[in-house]
Amino acid sequence: QLPDIALSARQEPLRNNAAPRFASQLKGSLNYRPDGNWQGKLAGLFDQSPMSLSAVYQRSNRHIEAKGEWQKLNLVPYLQDVSPDSGISYPALLQSPQAPSLALDFSVDTLQLPGPSIDNLKGRLQADRQNLAFNGSAHLYGGSSQGSFVVTNTQPLSYQINQQATGINILPLLEDAFAYSSLTGNGNAAFNLNAQGRNRQEIIASLNGILQLRIQNGAWLGMDLNHVLADSRQNIRYDRTNRTPFDHFTLNSRIIDGIGRHQNAELRSNQVHMLSNGSTDLKRSILKESLIISNPQSNAAPIPLRIEGPVANPSITIDYPSLTRGLSTPEEKQKIIGDTLKQQWNWLSR
């Protein structure tokens, strides 16, 4: 038995601007039994923040059952040298034939990452030679999220994530998850995704699953559907400073091999109603959309648009073939184009 353990540790940074790691001042105890079972506990400061950890080991099934509480856990110093494009491997500690399996019930008041800050993180972590699985809940992006994340020890590694997020700020979520930054607002997001890969590019290219968005009181950045026809040219310039405010936006996307496809994505406001069918290539950041926009307060004919190209700067054109479909003579086509544009211009310029 070791009834009174004191542990102090500190790893000095290799760079002047980096923070020290594993700065610990902990006290606890360890009770080791002749049959190989043991139990122990530690409490004190880890990286200058209060924490406690207790564990029980069962030799018969080589399993550790543990419970941990952290007031603040800052992972930035541990992840700052990790590139999203660098090779990802399964933890070596878990791959040893003698490594025990682990189940950890934990709570973290504040978890700091290179991207978002996560509060009230609670859950259960289970790990062995085959899988590393997390189930739990947290507050992030101004709302709450719960679900699971599983890493499977295959070659390359396999990933599965199932999350339900409510009341969140949608823009930082889409930026962090998909490098997509064209939607703002608050709402709900649900996704069930799986992938394989050695780095971020491979993971995105192999992404499969479902993404659902329900957003309120936001904006679609890059174009103003209220005045998109004010430019008389057929090619309308995308401008990041433009935006289309909306009351409601819904999207149901099925992702296959890194390409998300959707039908009848819908945007609604007092001035604009939009339906969209199309796809987004997440790896290449290229989109292709067919839009129908109309004024819910007018009987004017809808206007079809096409959006194609890089997500950061796509081309936007009036879809004249869709507008004149079913008409045979040049005179008929010219009349429908003129009448429709005139009607839309009247309400767009109000």
Side-chain angles (χ1 to χ4, degrees):
Q1 291 187 357
L2 298 174
D4 191 11
I5 297 174
L7 174 63
S8 296
R10 179 184 175 94
Q11 183 186 55
E12 294 297 334
L14 299 178
R15 299 178 308 187
N16 292 333
N17 61 344
R21 304 191 298 183
F22 303 106
S24 306
Q25 293 179 324
L26 302 170
K27 293 183 178 181
S29 63
L30 176 66
N31 183 9
Y32 185 87
R33 295 171 50 181
D35 59 7
N37 297 330
W38 56 261
Q39 62 183 31
K41 60 182 179 179
L42 288 171
L45 299 178
F46 180 80
D47 284 342
Q48 311 305 315
S49 181
M51 62 85 66
S52 65
L53 179 66
S54 61
V56 176
Y57 174 68
Q58 294 290 334
R59 185 182 179 184
S60 59
N61 56 1
R62 290 193 297 184
H63 178 73
I64 297 176
E65 191 75 24
K67 181 178 181 180
E69 297 179 350
W70 287 262
Q71 186 178 95
K72 181 179 180 180
L73 189 57
N74 183 7
L75 296 184
V76 174
Y78 303 90
L79 300 176
Q80 59 188 359
D81 294 326
V82 178
S83 168
D85 295 323
S86 63
I88 304 173
S89 59
Y90 202 72
L93 182 64
L94 295 175
Q95 298 190 61
S96 170
Q98 290 75 38
S101 60
L102 169 69
L104 171 66
D105 292 318
F106 66 89
S107 65
V108 182
D109 291 346
T110 300
L111 175 65
Q112 284 191 296
L113 297 171
S117 178
I118 301 174
D119 297 322
N120 298 324
L121 176 63
K122 298 179 180 179
R124 183 172 176 85
L125 178 68
Q126 295 176 282
D128 55 29
R129 294 179 63 188
Q130 287 76 42
N131 296 288
L132 195 159
F134 162 77
N135 288 272
S137 62
H139 292 170
L140 72 165
Y141 302 119
S144 61
S145 179
Q146 62 180 6
S148 63
F149 177 66
V150 180
V151 180
T152 302
N153 188 12
T154 56
Q155 294 297 327
L157 295 182
S158 301
Y159 306 87
Q160 184 172 9
I161 183 169
N162 189 332
Q163 289 288 316
Q164 304 281 337
T166 58
I168 61 169
N169 183 355
I170 204 69
L171 178 60
L173 169 67
L174 295 179
E175 287 179 329
D176 290 340
F178 305 107
Y180 185 83
S181 57
S182 295
L183 284 173
T184 70
N186 296 306
N188 304 335
F191 41 93
N192 189 345
L193 305 169
N194 61 78
Q196 284 187 310
R198 289 174 288 266
N199 53 51
R200 181 184 178 93
Q201 287 187 331
E202 290 184 7
I203 291 171
I204 291 178
S206 67
L207 201 62
N208 288 274
I210 295 173
L211 168 67
Q212 297 177 323
L213 299 177
R214 303 287 184 272
I215 311 173
Q216 294 84 41
N217 302 320
W220 185 12
L221 306 181
M223 61 183 299
D224 184 353
L225 293 180
N226 292 293
H227 297 89
V228 69
L229 299 179
D231 193 328
S232 61
R233 298 170 297 172
Q234 291 188 13
N235 189 42
I236 304 165
R237 184 179 179 182
Y238 177 93
D239 190 334
R240 181 69 179 178
T241 62
N242 289 336
R243 57 175 52 208
T244 300
F246 58 76
D247 299 321
H248 303 281
F249 178 87
T250 60
L251 170 74
N252 296 297
S253 177
R254 177 172 292 276
I255 303 173
I256 300 176
D257 295 333
I259 300 176
R261 295 178 173 86
H262 59 269
Q263 292 184 336
N264 295 327
E266 186 176 25
L267 179 151
R268 284 187 175 274
S269 71
N270 289 333
Q271 289 185 297
V272 174
H273 178 228
M274 179 205 79
L275 290 175
S276 169
N277 300 318
S279 65
T280 301
D281 187 326
L282 298 172
K283 180 181 178 181
R284 299 166 60 201
S285 294
I286 293 177
L287 57 81
K288 185 176 182 180
E289 299 275 352
S290 295
L291 280 65
I292 298 293
I293 63 172
S294 61
N295 180 4
Q297 301 181 21
S298 170
N299 293 324
I303 288 291
L305 298 177
R306 292 191 64 82
I307 304 178
E308 296 185 54
V311 171
N313 188 27
S315 65
I316 307 168
T317 58
I318 299 173
D319 189 353
Y320 289 105
S322 295
L323 190 62
T324 60
R325 185 174 292 124
L327 302 179
S328 56
T329 67
E331 291 77 11
E332 290 177 322
K333 294 181 179 181
Q334 185 63 40
K335 184 177 187 303
I336 189 65
I337 291 174
D339 290 347
T340 302
L341 295 182
K342 182 178 179 180
Q343 290 174 343
Q344 296 293 349
W345 173 251
N346 287 336
W347 69 261
L348 286 171
S349 59
R350 289 176 182 176

